[in-house]
Amino acid sequence: MMNDWAGLPANYSDVLRRAMESLFRTFENFSEGTFIVDADARVVWINKRYAARFGFADPQQAIGRDCEAVIPNSLMREVVKTGKPILLDILETDREPLVVTRLPLKDESGATVGAVGFALFDELKALTPLFSHYSRLQQELIATRQSLAQARRAKYTFASFVGTSAASLEVKRQGRRAAQVDSPVLLLGETGTGKELLAHAIHGASGRANQPLVTVNVAAIPDTLLEVEFFGAAPGAYTGADRKGRVGKFELANHGTLFLDEVGDMPLPLQGKLLRVLQDNEFEPLGSNRIVRADVRIIAATSADLPALVAAGRFRADLFYRLNVLTIQAPPLRERLADIESLAYAMLEDLSTRVHGGAHFELQEDALRLLCSHAWPGNVRELRNTLERAVMLSDSERIDADALAPFISPLQGGGRSAVTMPFAPGSAVSPAAAANALGSTDARFEAAQRGAEASAPSSWAEAMAGFEKRFLSEALRANGGRVIEAAAQIGMGRATLYKKIAAYGIEV
Ligand SMILES: Nc1ncnc2c1ncn2[C@@H]1O[C@H](COP(=O)(O)OP(=O)(O)OP(=O)(O)O)[C@@H](O)[C@H]1O
Ligand SMILES: [Mg+2]
């Protein structure tokens, strides 16, 4: 017999037989127990020690019995039936568990004629280092997953959405209803109206609450990186890619919720890809040929006028209809003046515990009137910023109109130009919104504001705000009113710029 392996004896089958015999003997010697069954899983041989362990003083008493009658929980019948080995398993017994190996025995034609089982260790002690290493890793994995899940859990609940006006109650009702189902939710509303808060609340009240809530802020990520952000990339898939590749937000959100914030800013090519993923529930990370299935609930939000973007061809109509299954319109603050007092007190309480050592702030009548007379283009966020600044500079816990006035719209040109929303890039002032805002404006206060505007700034905050408004207006003018270009030129995120445009009432 030819052989290119130097030193191998010519009688190959003899070596094989010896190997098998010595393998069996080695196992038999070192194992705590060995037994053999026939094709019907009946015991044909069992060593003394093993038989004794299961209560048979003489191994002969076990012969001919079903394997399960001798060794409870034995899986030898499965091995005989399938012809497949069970290489490593743990057999629970009424004493310590045993680590076992089960191998089929075959005849020359390959038919299974029986099986042999070895109990390798009397106890798991010999495997202790391996087991403790394994269980430590397992514990670490559980802890890491838990802390990650904590970070991805909803930050707000419906209780965090302050407001008992009819409009707020309706929003919360719709939100709770949306939490009961799995279809996409579209949150619309001006900046600062609580869309992000609602997204968290809906996820937190849904059946996916214990799964991740993953956010992608479309406006904050450069277009070129968005696809990878969404779908991930195989290692080395693109220049500058992480060597290890990258898991996309879609995959991270699996079984949970994906919150697409500022969805109106999504570039058109990516809109097409997103639509396909929403239809097929699967995608391929960049540069991989791996198909990832994702079970993800979508909540999208935008402060842009999405139907107008669709009409202008800047947002795909098919994607819009796909997202627009359940739509919740977060009302602007000026349309729910009844909420201002409770919102202001909730914010003052928060500021008091976090910043002002438990102070008891109180709003005077005139302060409340002032708050209710403002158009709040930046909505709840602007209200919060205003209160934060006022209490920071106030010496008293009693907040009156004088303490607030310097921080309320010092620059809003007395009304109409203050209400330039919805402020999708290039969108026009909504006459209805403007009229509405003016309707709720206290004429006396407006006059006072106009008077104040003409005079020199009375505080540093006012002066800085004045400077910022002029600076941003100038940058916008220099870029022909194009927000994205202006933002790039002055090194500001476009979402931030949009918010400032709204807050200052800059017309674009
Ligand atoms: N009803 C509310 N009750 C309490 N806090 C609120 C409420 N609505 C909004 N807020 C607070 O106002 C701030 C702005 O809210 P949020 O970020 O949810 O607004 P948004 O609609 O996502 O705004 P943008 O379009 O600018 O992203 C947050 O600090 C939020 O906690
Ligand atoms: Mg938001």
Side-chain angles (χ1 to χ4, degrees):
M1 183 170 151
M2 282 296 292
N3 211 316
D4 56 0
W5 190 4
L8 195 73
N11 191 347
Y12 180 79
S13 52
D14 186 45
V15 172
L16 193 62
R17 191 180 48 74
R18 276 166 202 254
M20 291 196 292
E21 269 172 24
S22 74
L23 191 67
F24 181 80
R25 238 175 287 120
T26 309
F27 263 101
E28 220 264 296
N29 278 341
F30 285 97
S31 73
E32 293 296 320
T34 306
F35 83 124
I36 299 174
V37 297
D38 64 12
D40 295 318
R42 278 188 306 245
V43 176
V44 292
W45 184 83
I46 183 165
N47 72 358
K48 207 162 180 303
R49 207 162 10 153
Y50 211 30
R53 187 188 167 116
F54 290 98
F56 298 90
D58 179 358
Q60 284 303 322
Q61 296 165 347
I63 308 295
R65 296 180 189 240
D66 283 342
C67 64
E68 300 87 353
V70 179
I71 299 170
N73 305 325
S74 169
L75 291 183
M76 292 290 261
R77 189 174 302 280
E78 190 181 315
V79 177
V80 197
K81 244 192 237 162
T82 62
K84 296 215 171 84
I86 299 173
L87 288 177
L88 202 59
D89 193 14
I90 292 174
L91 177 76
E92 295 293 341
T93 71
D94 54 1
R95 286 153 57 189
E96 309 81 26
L98 296 168
V99 175
V100 296
T101 287
R102 308 179 186 99
L103 307 168
L105 295 172
K106 313 234 174 180
D107 65 11
E108 297 74 28
S109 71
T112 305
V113 293
V116 56
F118 302 102
L120 294 178
F121 306 97
D122 190 16
E123 300 166 39
L124 295 174
K125 269 197 206 113
L127 289 177
T128 302
L130 188 67
F131 269 105
S132 57
H133 186 61
Y134 170 79
S135 52
R136 206 186 59 241
L137 287 180
Q138 195 72 7
Q139 291 305 323
E140 278 177 22
L141 185 67
I142 291 169
T144 312
R145 283 203 176 132
Q146 275 170 349
S147 65
L148 202 61
Q150 197 66 40
R152 297 208 175 112
R153 205 149 285 167
K155 275 192 297 205
Y156 309 102
T157 64
F158 284 112
S160 337
F161 193 98
V162 177
T164 49
S165 66
S168 289
L169 293 180
E170 176 59 14
V171 162
K172 285 201 261 191
R173 192 188 66 78
Q174 291 178 354
R176 286 207 181 84
R177 205 188 48 188
Q180 304 304 311
V181 293
D182 231 15
S183 24
V185 181
L186 182 60
L187 301 169
L188 299 175
E190 294 172 9
T191 186
T193 46
K195 298 183 294 297
E196 183 170 349
L197 193 161
L198 284 169
H200 279 250
I202 292 170
H203 170 78
S206 77
R208 295 172 180 255
N210 290 323
Q211 301 292 337
L213 167 66
V214 176
T215 298
V216 184
N217 188 326
V218 176
I221 299 163
D223 290 1
T224 46
L225 297 184
L226 263 177
E227 185 174 352
V228 170
E229 183 77 9
F230 268 104
F231 306 121
Y238 59 102
T239 334
D242 299 43
R243 229 169 1 106
K244 289 198 203 113
R246 197 171 162 151
V247 181
K249 292 282 172 83
F250 248 99
E251 200 168 344
L252 287 175
N254 202 9
H255 305 303
T257 304
L258 184 63
F259 175 39
L260 304 178
D261 205 1
E262 313 283 2
V263 75
D265 283 33
M266 188 177 282
L268 274 168
L270 193 62
Q271 291 177 24
K273 288 192 180 128
L274 176 64
L275 182 67
R276 274 198 299 284
V277 176
L278 296 184
Q279 277 161 353
D280 305 342
N281 291 322
E282 59 179 36
F283 59 92
E284 245 178 71
L286 199 74
S288 81
N289 34 32
R290 186 169 67 99
I291 300 275
V292 180
R293 289 199 59 77
D295 157 31
V296 169
R297 199 266 170 98
I298 302 283
I299 301 181
T302 181
S303 49
D305 182 351
L306 218 45
L309 291 184
V310 172
R314 285 173 36 205
F315 200 87
R316 288 178 65 128
D318 42 11
L319 179 59
F320 174 68
Y321 291 120
R322 186 95 201 171
L323 296 175
N324 194 26
V325 180
L326 291 170
T327 306
I328 301 179
Q329 185 82 44
L333 190 53
R334 61 184 168 280
E335 286 174 16
R336 44 182 165 129
L337 295 178
D339 291 340
I340 287 196
E341 183 170 1
S342 46
L343 271 169
Y345 273 108
M347 288 163 179
L348 287 172
E349 208 171 300
D350 183 47
L351 286 169
S352 153
T353 45
R354 287 193 311 107
V355 194
H356 297 275
H360 290 288
F361 295 116
E362 204 180 300
L363 286 167
Q364 304 300 296
E365 272 295 302
D366 61 345
L368 258 178
R369 265 205 314 279
L370 177 54
L371 292 178
C372 290
S373 70
H374 180 52
W376 299 113
N379 294 291
V380 185
R381 185 185 290 110
E382 188 190 355
L383 176 63
R384 194 190 161 88
N385 290 346
T386 303
L387 291 171
E388 198 165 347
R389 289 181 191 178
V391 297
M392 196 146 43
L393 292 184
S394 169
D395 296 327
S396 163
E397 293 186 354
R398 290 160 162 259
I399 314 286
D400 58 17
D402 286 343
L404 290 173
F407 307 104
I408 293 190
S409 91
L411 300 148
Q412 279 176 7
R416 273 173 208 284
S417 67
V419 192
T420 54
M421 287 152 304
F423 50 93
S427 79
V429 178
S430 149
N436 207 337
L438 284 175
S440 66
T441 304
D442 179 325
R444 270 175 308 142
F445 177 62
E446 230 186 56
Q449 260 190 308
R450 269 197 292 271
E453 206 195 8
S455 59
S458 66
S459 69
W460 173 82
E462 199 179 327
M464 285 306 284
F467 165 76
E468 193 174 27
K469 183 185 180 189
R470 278 194 305 280
F471 174 74
L472 298 179
S473 307
E474 191 41 54
L476 282 161
R477 219 181 346 265
N479 286 281
R482 289 179 295 276
V483 179
I484 293 174
E485 284 165 35
Q489 191 208 339
I490 61 176
M492 179 180 274
R494 55 191 155 144
T496 312
L497 183 52
Y498 282 136
K499 282 173 192 164
K500 287 187 186 287
I501 290 171
Y504 288 129
I506 300 172
E507 292 199 65
V508 287

PDB file of all heavy atoms in Angstrom, residues 11 41 128 221 270 362 391 463:
ATOM      1  N   ASN A  11       0.184  -1.688   7.605  1.00  0.00           N
ATOM      2  CA  ASN A  11      -1.124  -2.271   7.897  1.00  0.00           C
ATOM      3  C   ASN A  11      -2.049  -1.228   8.529  1.00  0.00           C
ATOM      4  O   ASN A  11      -2.246  -1.154   9.728  1.00  0.00           O
ATOM      5  CB  ASN A  11      -0.956  -3.466   8.820  1.00  0.00           C
ATOM      6  CG  ASN A  11      -2.255  -4.236   8.915  1.00  0.00           C
ATOM      7  OD1 ASN A  11      -3.313  -3.742   8.490  1.00  0.00           O
ATOM      8  ND2 ASN A  11      -2.173  -5.435   9.477  1.00  0.00           N
ATOM      9  N   ALA A  41     -32.254   0.251  22.119  1.00  0.00           N
ATOM     10  CA  ALA A  41     -31.892   1.021  23.310  1.00  0.00           C
ATOM     11  C   ALA A  41     -31.994   0.191  24.588  1.00  0.00           C
ATOM     12  O   ALA A  41     -32.287   0.712  25.661  1.00  0.00           O
ATOM     13  CB  ALA A  41     -32.730   2.313  23.403  1.00  0.00           C
ATOM     14  N   THR A 128     -14.692  22.743  36.773  1.00  0.00           N
ATOM     15  CA  THR A 128     -14.992  23.971  37.493  1.00  0.00           C
ATOM     16  C   THR A 128     -14.347  25.218  36.898  1.00  0.00           C
ATOM     17  O   THR A 128     -15.026  26.221  36.691  1.00  0.00           O
ATOM     18  CB  THR A 128     -14.626  23.828  38.984  1.00  0.00           C
ATOM     19  OG1 THR A 128     -15.360  22.736  39.476  1.00  0.00           O
ATOM     20  CG2 THR A 128     -14.992  25.075  39.766  1.00  0.00           C
ATOM     21  N   ILE A 221     -26.759  64.195  11.420  1.00  0.00           N
ATOM     22  CA  ILE A 221     -25.741  63.318  10.830  1.00  0.00           C
ATOM     23  C   ILE A 221     -25.530  63.685   9.360  1.00  0.00           C
ATOM     24  O   ILE A 221     -26.508  63.820   8.616  1.00  0.00           O
ATOM     25  CB  ILE A 221     -26.178  61.847  10.960  1.00  0.00           C
ATOM     26  CG1 ILE A 221     -26.330  61.509  12.445  1.00  0.00           C
ATOM     27  CG2 ILE A 221     -25.181  60.905  10.322  1.00  0.00           C
ATOM     28  CD1 ILE A 221     -27.125  60.275  12.696  1.00  0.00           C
ATOM     29  N   LEU A 270     -31.836  58.003   0.444  1.00  0.00           N
ATOM     30  CA  LEU A 270     -32.009  57.193   1.646  1.00  0.00           C
ATOM     31  C   LEU A 270     -33.491  56.951   1.934  1.00  0.00           C
ATOM     32  O   LEU A 270     -33.867  55.903   2.465  1.00  0.00           O
ATOM     33  CB  LEU A 270     -31.337  57.878   2.845  1.00  0.00           C
ATOM     34  CG  LEU A 270     -31.198  56.983   4.067  1.00  0.00           C
ATOM     35  CD1 LEU A 270     -30.317  55.785   3.778  1.00  0.00           C
ATOM     36  CD2 LEU A 270     -30.641  57.759   5.250  1.00  0.00           C
ATOM     37  N   GLU A 362     -42.382  81.289  43.026  1.00  0.00           N
ATOM     38  CA  GLU A 362     -43.806  81.585  42.902  1.00  0.00           C
ATOM     39  C   GLU A 362     -43.994  82.589  41.783  1.00  0.00           C
ATOM     40  O   GLU A 362     -43.278  83.592  41.732  1.00  0.00           O
ATOM     41  CB  GLU A 362     -44.278  82.183  44.219  1.00  0.00           C
ATOM     42  CG  GLU A 362     -45.752  81.997  44.453  1.00  0.00           C
ATOM     43  CD  GLU A 362     -46.149  82.618  45.775  1.00  0.00           C
ATOM     44  OE1 GLU A 362     -45.594  82.186  46.813  1.00  0.00           O
ATOM     45  OE2 GLU A 362     -46.953  83.554  45.737  1.00  0.00           O
ATOM     46  N   VAL A 391     -34.899  82.825  36.636  1.00  0.00           N
ATOM     47  CA  VAL A 391     -34.618  82.493  38.035  1.00  0.00           C
ATOM     48  C   VAL A 391     -33.122  82.562  38.338  1.00  0.00           C
ATOM     49  O   VAL A 391     -32.717  82.820  39.459  1.00  0.00           O
ATOM     50  CB  VAL A 391     -35.168  81.106  38.459  1.00  0.00           C
ATOM     51  CG1 VAL A 391     -36.671  81.082  38.352  1.00  0.00           C
ATOM     52  CG2 VAL A 391     -34.547  79.993  37.662  1.00  0.00           C
ATOM     53  N   ALA A 463     -28.400  91.543  25.382  1.00  0.00           N
ATOM     54  CA  ALA A 463     -27.413  92.005  24.400  1.00  0.00           C
ATOM     55  C   ALA A 463     -26.889  90.831  23.574  1.00  0.00           C
ATOM     56  O   ALA A 463     -26.762  90.909  22.345  1.00  0.00           O
ATOM     57  CB  ALA A 463     -26.262  92.702  25.120  1.00  0.00           C
TER      58      ALA A 463
END
